[in-house]
Amino acid sequence: MISYSIVIPVKDEAESIPTLYKEIKEVFDKLNRQYEIIFIDDGSTDKSSHIISTLQKTDRNINLVKFRANFGKSKALSAGFSETKGELIIIMDADLQDDPRDVLKLLTKIDDGYDLVSGWRKNRADSLTKRVSSYLFNRGTSFISGVKIHDFNCGLKAFKKEVADELFLHGELHRFIPVLAKKRKFKVTEIEVNNRPRKFGESKFGKLGIARGWKGMLDLLTAIFITDYLDKPAHFFGAIGLSFFSIGFLMDLYVSYIKLTTGTTQGRLPLLLAGVLFILLGIQLISTGLIAEMMSHYLSLRKKSSLR
């Protein structure tokens, strides 16, 4: 029976793969437990797949999933999860910045009763710009999501198979795996890990620069919505809609008061129109929430009937 599944997305990392494989093998051979290494070639244009295929001929623990084009890290991880047979899953990047020896520390934390353990690159071997943007991203994500960890986007993580079974990754949601797991009531923690300088090339799965900040915010809202509000969409749209409606109502109430007491709006017509706009927007959002709630209820009834 396979105990560990190591899932590694690959994008043009031909120079790193032989060293990474050697380090992983050294670590997991010492555990004396059966394991598998699943490489997902996400549309590499170099010799990554050829090198992995060559390693496969000498090691039956290696599995290769090859994409016909670049679909992104989330798709790569999802494909890897569907291939896993191990009780515990470890994910890491293929660029050698993650140290396979740190896996032992993550597995120890899992034994302490946690469902997911994420790496924390406390001393990052990256440029100042990347460290600053990453700090802002992590602090903002922690504040909005309520998940108190320092490094959401660390590529090195270990978690139980049941966690992977409930992770439906798409877009850029791989950056919020700890959030998705925590919102599903799994026990999540982090531990300091070694972050090594990149030896070859540059990041192939995109950079977490300031230019991507707004995309990260949308991805975070998506992660929160599909976990906290998937079964109660009216709470999400309704709260925002009621806020807009209340603001618009107070605006128009104030203008109405001015009109009744002075006989004129005193140049406050723009405020009146803004209030009407806010009220209409609030009604639309509330209606959207109610429609989404009815759809959710209908799908739940269909699901129940199909199980009978």
Side-chain angles (χ1 to χ4, degrees):
M1 182 178 182
I2 296 177
S3 298
Y4 306 115
S5 296
I6 305 100
V7 178
I8 306 173
V10 175
K11 179 67 172 70
D12 296 333
E13 296 289 357
E15 296 171 301
S16 302
I17 291 171
T19 302
L20 178 62
Y21 165 71
K22 181 180 178 182
E23 291 180 341
I24 291 174
K25 185 172 175 58
E26 288 176 354
V27 170
F28 283 89
D29 282 349
K30 292 178 182 178
L31 293 175
N32 198 28
R33 303 279 292 275
Q34 195 168 356
Y35 66 93
E36 62 179 353
I37 306 174
I38 303 173
F39 289 100
I40 303 93
D41 185 354
D42 188 22
S44 294
T45 56
D46 63 1
K47 295 183 179 180
S48 295
S49 287
H50 174 73
I51 292 174
I52 297 170
S53 298
T54 301
L55 292 173
Q56 270 187 302
K57 296 176 182 178
T58 59
D59 191 341
R60 63 178 184 177
N61 296 321
I62 295 177
N63 184 15
L64 171 62
V65 177
K66 187 176 180 179
F67 288 176
R68 64 179 180 273
N70 177 224
F71 290 99
K73 193 172 182 179
S74 289
K75 290 289 187 182
L77 288 174
S78 292
F81 294 161
S82 65
E83 296 289 329
T84 57
K85 301 180 180 68
E87 299 173 353
L88 295 176
I89 297 174
I90 299 96
I91 61 174
M92 65 176 65
D93 293 333
D95 56 14
L96 296 178
Q97 287 198 270
D98 295 329
D99 191 341
R101 290 172 295 185
D102 286 326
V103 171
L104 300 177
K105 295 192 294 184
L106 271 63
L107 295 178
T108 299
K109 271 292 185 180
I110 293 287
D111 291 337
D112 290 340
Y114 291 97
D115 300 304
L116 182 148
V117 183
S118 181
W120 173 18
R121 299 164 293 182
K122 189 173 183 179
N123 299 308
R124 293 194 60 169
D126 290 310
S127 65
L128 177 61
T129 300
K130 194 166 186 178
R131 293 200 304 270
V132 171
S133 61
S134 179
Y135 175 82
L136 295 174
F137 168 79
N138 286 312
R139 296 286 71 76
T141 300
S142 179
F143 175 77
I144 295 174
S145 68
V147 181
K148 304 303 180 183
I149 66 175
H150 298 84
D151 192 355
F152 290 88
N153 200 35
C154 179
L156 183 60
K157 295 178 177 66
F159 42 90
K160 297 178 180 177
K161 174 68 171 170
E162 51 263 38
V163 176
D165 291 339
E166 296 195 31
L167 292 178
F168 303 100
L169 303 181
H170 56 86
E172 297 291 320
L173 290 184
H174 63 273
R175 293 189 284 171
F176 304 104
I177 287 178
V179 176
L180 296 171
K182 185 70 173 181
K183 297 296 184 179
R184 300 296 295 176
K185 310 304 180 184
F186 289 108
K187 293 183 66 176
V188 175
T189 190
E190 67 180 351
I191 191 170
E192 290 183 31
V193 296
N194 183 29
N195 183 234
R196 303 182 293 190
R198 172 180 277 275
K199 288 187 177 181
F200 309 104
E202 60 182 13
S203 176
K204 313 301 192 306
F205 284 105
K207 300 178 181 179
L208 190 61
I210 297 175
R212 297 183 66 201
W214 67 273
K215 293 183 180 179
M217 183 62 65
L218 291 176
D219 292 329
L220 175 58
L221 291 176
T222 299
I224 293 175
F225 182 80
I226 64 177
T227 51
D228 286 351
Y229 298 101
L230 185 62
D231 296 325
K232 45 185 178 182
H235 290 198
F236 179 82
F237 292 104
I240 301 174
L242 284 173
S243 299
F244 276 107
F245 183 89
S246 300
I247 293 172
F249 179 79
L250 291 175
M251 286 180 177
D252 288 351
L253 184 64
Y254 172 70
V255 175
S256 299
Y257 172 77
I258 295 296
K259 175 67 174 178
L260 291 174
T261 55
T262 65
T264 176
T265 58
Q266 299 181 1
R268 290 178 173 80
L269 183 61
L271 184 63
L272 175 67
L273 296 176
V276 172
L277 178 62
F278 272 70
I279 289 174
L280 292 175
L281 184 58
I283 293 174
Q284 285 184 325
L285 287 170
I286 293 172
S287 300
T288 299
L290 293 175
I291 293 171
E293 198 74 37
M294 287 189 291
M295 292 177 62
S296 177
H297 181 67
Y298 173 72
L299 291 174
S300 297
L301 291 177
R302 288 199 61 180
K303 185 177 180 179
K304 287 182 180 179
S305 63
S306 65
L307 295 175
R308 293 176 182 173

